[in-house]
């Protein structure tokens, strides 16, 4: 069986989850759920990044130990993922023993390779970003080019990773694998960064304590990014041999702000450790809110708990992936989410379901009629599923949903054209059964395609269609063939899947 391994970034515990975290995690969940349907041996990892100065400082401010802070905030993340129906197979915390073990094993490999040396580091440091910057990179007033906050001059003894040694191998890898970084705009960004030259990277700190001590010099703790990236290996069992079942990862999903760490440092670390590189790093865009940059100071941070409560979990999931092509920036606005819910979910999708099921209850005593020749929908359904699959394989979620909605439109039109309510009046039983069988069978296809995006509504539709098993156990290979609605199966009285939202 082919395997598929997808990851999200591990989230810092100094902040509570917002729409940005939810977006990355939902996207990873959608692809994981799709790959399971498509028959892959799938592994989906998420977790939290708990070391580093940022967390140490946040803990100081809230009067906790760093571990105490992490223990408290990690529950917020876990809760949210449960609420949002995230189907991760494991949850990694970098303060876990298994992680420290993996980090030490990894460090040892890099050390043996001769890629770590002691030097002295002096530069401008941004504490919130955990990043050093050179004078030329700084914004006016010596502010951090990433977050705009003031930097501090910092000098310390530090261990370095010989990143410079990997410039050529990285360039070669990028040139030979144009899909290593997606979308293309991010690929080009990485390419020019690497072409611009790579300085060795400071990977240890002595100015604070909250991290994994270096085995060769415990005065130093490991730089948080060196520690954090290794989570992707820990999660699949490294250093035990079983990590090979899923490693190399098929896709690291990240936001565009952490591209350099994933597409430059991480592959260089892996090359040094003699481990295979992930197949792809996919960097998605950023959300603004009602046209504004989202920030605590602006007070416009979108809280995913509130969104789920106000609009529904599936509605929120759907919106995030339908609104923007994956990889581009997007804008969150209440008007647009309401518009999509009322139009696409309530009208196009929800009404179709209730129309068909209500008629099957009314005219056919709720029983699925015998399969018939398909009158056009057969081919449409299989083509839609194929197109959907192609787009999903390409991580083009928005296009996959467009293919699904085109099919939903075709089924709505088919119902209007065949008008089963008139057929019933005219006692045209054969035509009536044909129309309703085709519509029911189309709903079965729709449920399957909607599942990765809207798991609980799709499971509900599945039950209303009369199936006893779970939709999550279905495999497209068998279920994706026309004719799967069993004759005589009893469908349920429909409940509204997506209630309209009144403005
Ligand atoms: N801990 C690091 C990742 C280590 S991975 C080895 C980290 N954590 S984070 O919590 O700050 O951010 C996690 C993710 O949230 C990033 O992928 C980032 O892009 C995403 N987002 C934060 N704000 C965002 C938006 N406004 N919009 C979309 N995504 C955003 O970085």
């Amino acid at each position: 069986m082919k395997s598929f391994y997808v990851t999200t970034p591990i989230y810092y515990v100094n902040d509570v989850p917002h729409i940005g975290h939810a977006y990355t995690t939902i996207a990873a969940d959608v692809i994981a759920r799709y790959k399971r349907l498509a028959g892959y041996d799938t592994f989906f990892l998420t977790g939290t990044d708990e070391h580093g100065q940022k967390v140490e400082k946040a803990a100081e401010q809230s009067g906790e130990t760093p571990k105490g802070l992490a223990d408290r905030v990690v529950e917020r993340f876990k809760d949210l993922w449960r609420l949002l129906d995230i189907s991760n197979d494991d949850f990694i915390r970098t303060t876990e023993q298994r992680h420290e073990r993996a980090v030490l094993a990894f460090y040892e490999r890099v050390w043996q390779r001769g890629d770590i040396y002691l030097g002295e580091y002096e530069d401008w440091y941004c504490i919130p970003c955990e990043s050093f910057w050179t004078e030329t990179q700084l914004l006016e007033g010596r502010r951090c080019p990433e977050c705009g906050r003031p930097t501090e001059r910092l000098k310390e003894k530090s261990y370095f990773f010989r990143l410079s040694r990997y410039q050529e191998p990285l360039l070669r890898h990028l040139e030979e694998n144009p899909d290593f970084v997606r979308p293309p705009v991010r690929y080009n960004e990485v390419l020019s960064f690497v072409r611009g030259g790579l300085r060795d990277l400071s990977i240890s700190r002595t100015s604070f304590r909250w991290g994994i001590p270096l085995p060769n010099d415990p005065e130093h703790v490991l730089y948080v990014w060196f520690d954090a990236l290794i989570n992707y290996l820990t999660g699949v069992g490294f250093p035990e041999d079983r990590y090979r079942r899923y490693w190399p990862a098929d896709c690291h999903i990240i936001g565009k702000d952490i591209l350099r760490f994933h597409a430059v440092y991480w592959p260089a670390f892996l090359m040094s450790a003699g481990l295979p590189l992930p197949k792809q790093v996919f960097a998605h865009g950023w959300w603004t809110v009602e046209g504004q940059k989202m920030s605590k100071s602006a007070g416009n941070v979108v809280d995913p708990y509130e969104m789920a409560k106000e609009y529904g979990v599936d509605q929120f999931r759907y919106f995030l992936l339908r609104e923007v092509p994956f990889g581009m920036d997007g804008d969150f606005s209440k008007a647009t989410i309401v518009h999509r819910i009322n139009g696409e979910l309530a009208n196009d999708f929800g009404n179709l379901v209730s129309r068909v099921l209500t008629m099957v209850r009314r005219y056919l005593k709720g029983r699925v009629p015998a399969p018939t020749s398909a009158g056009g929908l057969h081919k449409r359904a299989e083509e839609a599923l194929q197109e959907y699959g192609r787009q999903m394989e390409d991580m083009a979620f928005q296009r996959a949903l467009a293919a699904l909605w085109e099919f939903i439109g075709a089924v709505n039109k088919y119902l209007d054209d065949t008008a089963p309510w008139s057929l019933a009046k005219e006692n045209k039983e054969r035509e009536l059964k044909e129309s309703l069988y085709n519509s029911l069978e189309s709903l079965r296809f729709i449920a399957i395609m909607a599942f990765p995006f809207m798991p609980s509504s799709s499971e509900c539709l599945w039950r209303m269609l009369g199936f006893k098993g779970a939709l999550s156990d279905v495999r497209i290979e068998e279920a994706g063939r026309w004719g799967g609605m069993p004759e005589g199966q009893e469908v349920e009285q429909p409940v509204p899947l997506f209630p309209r939202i009144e403005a």
Side-chain angles (χ1 to χ4, degrees):
M1 204 200 278
K2 275 204 290 186
S3 71
F4 184 81
Y5 177 28
V6 62
T7 66
T8 73
I10 48 171
Y11 303 109
Y12 287 129
V13 287
N14 61 322
D15 199 1
V16 296
H18 58 59
I19 187 178
H21 307 115
Y23 183 52
T24 323
T25 311
I26 290 171
D29 186 61
V30 169
I31 194 69
R33 286 178 182 274
Y34 166 75
K35 289 287 179 174
R36 291 187 200 110
L37 278 186
Y40 288 77
D41 170 21
T42 302
F43 196 80
F44 167 21
L45 182 70
T46 188
T48 40
D49 191 351
E50 305 187 351
H51 287 133
Q53 190 166 17
K54 232 200 281 218
V55 175
E56 192 179 271
K57 283 218 160 166
E60 244 165 58
Q61 274 161 17
S62 60
E64 292 162 287
T65 62
K67 182 64 168 42
L69 171 84
D71 287 345
R72 180 169 59 78
V73 178
V74 71
E75 292 308 322
R76 291 287 294 264
F77 281 95
K78 288 184 170 174
D79 265 0
L80 180 64
W81 303 153
R82 270 191 294 271
L83 174 71
L84 295 180
D85 257 331
I86 302 303
S87 64
N88 55 301
D89 296 287
D90 201 345
F91 188 102
I92 174 86
R93 301 181 56 181
T94 53
T95 49
E96 284 167 341
Q97 264 245 295
R98 59 170 172 159
H99 182 63
E100 182 162 340
R101 221 175 119 231
V103 169
L104 294 178
F106 191 95
Y107 183 88
E108 176 65 20
R109 282 171 174 247
V110 176
W111 178 267
Q112 290 303 337
R113 181 64 64 101
D115 281 339
I116 296 172
Y117 65 90
L118 184 64
E120 189 157 78
Y121 198 86
E122 180 172 11
D123 227 331
W124 298 96
Y125 189 68
C126 173
I127 297 175
C129 294
E130 314 257 14
S131 295
F132 274 104
W133 303 99
T134 58
E135 187 82 42
T136 54
Q137 289 173 314
L138 295 179
L139 303 178
E140 237 185 79
R142 301 220 163 102
R143 284 175 303 112
C144 169
E146 216 155 77
C147 70
R149 282 175 276 210
T151 57
E152 301 169 17
R153 191 73 183 166
L154 218 70
K155 183 174 174 176
E156 56 184 31
K157 275 212 177 324
S158 168
Y159 285 88
F160 282 80
F161 170 74
R162 283 188 213 281
L163 184 61
S164 54
R165 200 189 230 185
Y166 293 92
Q167 177 172 1
E168 281 312 313
L170 273 172
L171 269 181
R172 221 172 310 125
H173 185 77
L174 285 164
E175 278 157 9
E176 284 164 11
N177 300 277
D179 272 345
F180 179 60
V181 180
R182 288 188 65 205
V185 50
R186 301 297 159 223
Y187 173 84
N188 291 328
E189 203 179 300
V190 171
L191 199 60
S192 50
F193 182 81
V194 178
R195 282 195 179 133
L198 299 177
R199 293 194 302 166
D200 288 349
L201 184 73
S202 156
I203 55 157
S204 79
R205 301 282 186 267
T206 50
S207 51
F208 63 94
R209 289 310 309 153
W210 184 233
I212 299 177
L214 262 54
N216 54 302
D217 191 345
E219 290 292 294
H220 291 247
V221 295
L222 253 188
Y223 172 47
V224 67
W225 273 100
F226 192 96
D227 163 348
L229 287 160
I230 296 167
N231 91 85
Y232 301 132
L233 281 166
T234 313
V236 289
F238 184 82
E240 280 159 43
D241 243 9
R242 68 190 165 92
Y243 79 95
R244 293 173 209 268
R245 173 167 168 196
Y246 293 112
W247 193 260
D250 292 85
C251 189
H252 292 317
I253 298 185
I254 59 166
K256 63 180 182 180
D257 53 315
I258 52 176
L259 182 61
R260 194 171 13 116
F261 301 98
H262 284 82
V264 181
Y265 300 168
W266 180 225
F269 297 163
L270 285 164
M271 283 175 179
S272 170
L275 294 166
L277 307 194
K279 291 180 201 148
Q280 187 168 87
V281 175
F282 199 116
H284 65 65
W286 268 47
W287 287 91
T288 49
V289 178
E290 315 275 350
Q292 303 294 315
K293 200 175 167 211
M294 190 171 73
S295 75
K296 269 191 203 154
S297 51
N300 63 348
V301 176
V302 177
D303 176 353
Y305 286 96
E306 256 170 52
M307 293 304 111
K309 213 167 74 197
E310 197 163 340
Y311 302 112
V313 169
D314 282 354
Q315 287 85 337
F316 180 54
R317 291 174 57 115
Y318 170 78
F319 172 80
L320 291 180
L321 293 167
R322 181 68 189 84
E323 180 66 8
V324 237
F326 199 54
M328 313 252 293
D329 292 337
D331 183 54
F332 183 89
S333 91
K334 293 197 168 179
T336 344
I337 186 169
V338 169
H339 186 72
R340 287 197 182 276
I341 290 173
N342 288 346
E344 291 152 18
L345 294 180
N347 268 355
D348 302 346
F349 188 165
N351 278 352
L352 174 65
V353 171
S354 45
R355 278 162 96 197
V356 174
L357 292 182
T358 304
M359 287 191 283
V360 176
R361 302 280 300 183
R362 186 173 304 156
Y363 305 136
L364 303 177
K365 301 196 173 78
R367 297 284 171 186
V368 178
T372 57
S373 74
L377 283 181
H378 176 168
K379 226 176 125 229
R380 289 295 294 258
E382 291 184 349
E383 277 169 9
L385 185 59
Q386 256 173 33
E387 173 63 9
Y388 165 92
R390 262 195 300 278
Q391 300 299 350
M392 291 299 271
E393 292 291 342
D394 198 34
M395 311 269 284
F397 304 119
Q398 193 203 34
R399 291 211 183 119
L401 285 169
L404 171 55
W405 251 258
E406 206 180 297
F407 181 58
I408 290 176
V411 184
N412 270 314
K413 179 164 185 314
Y414 173 83
L415 262 191
D416 292 341
D417 291 347
T418 55
W421 49 93
S422 310
L423 298 171
K425 262 192 218 133
E426 297 157 15
N427 284 321
K428 291 188 172 156
E429 197 178 329
R430 194 181 56 80
E431 288 92 333
L432 173 67
K433 285 185 169 165
E434 179 175 315
S435 167
L436 289 179
Y437 181 84
N438 287 333
S439 306
L440 279 171
E441 177 61 356
S442 297
L443 290 184
R444 195 180 66 84
F445 270 75
I446 292 169
I448 294 171
M449 288 187 267
F451 173 73
F453 297 91
M454 298 179 280
S456 83
S457 311
S458 309
E459 288 284 7
C460 176
L461 170 56
W462 198 246
R463 281 191 305 275
M464 292 196 291
L465 289 172
F467 291 102
K468 298 291 173 241
L471 181 46
S472 58
D473 292 333
V474 159
R475 294 294 166 262
I476 288 178
E477 198 177 357
E478 310 113 56
R481 275 182 243 127
W482 185 267
M485 277 306 287
E487 182 183 352
Q489 176 160 293
E490 188 176 359
V491 307
E492 289 177 9
Q493 189 66 38
V495 293
L497 284 179
F498 308 107
R500 280 186 68 83
I501 303 209
E502 300 311 331

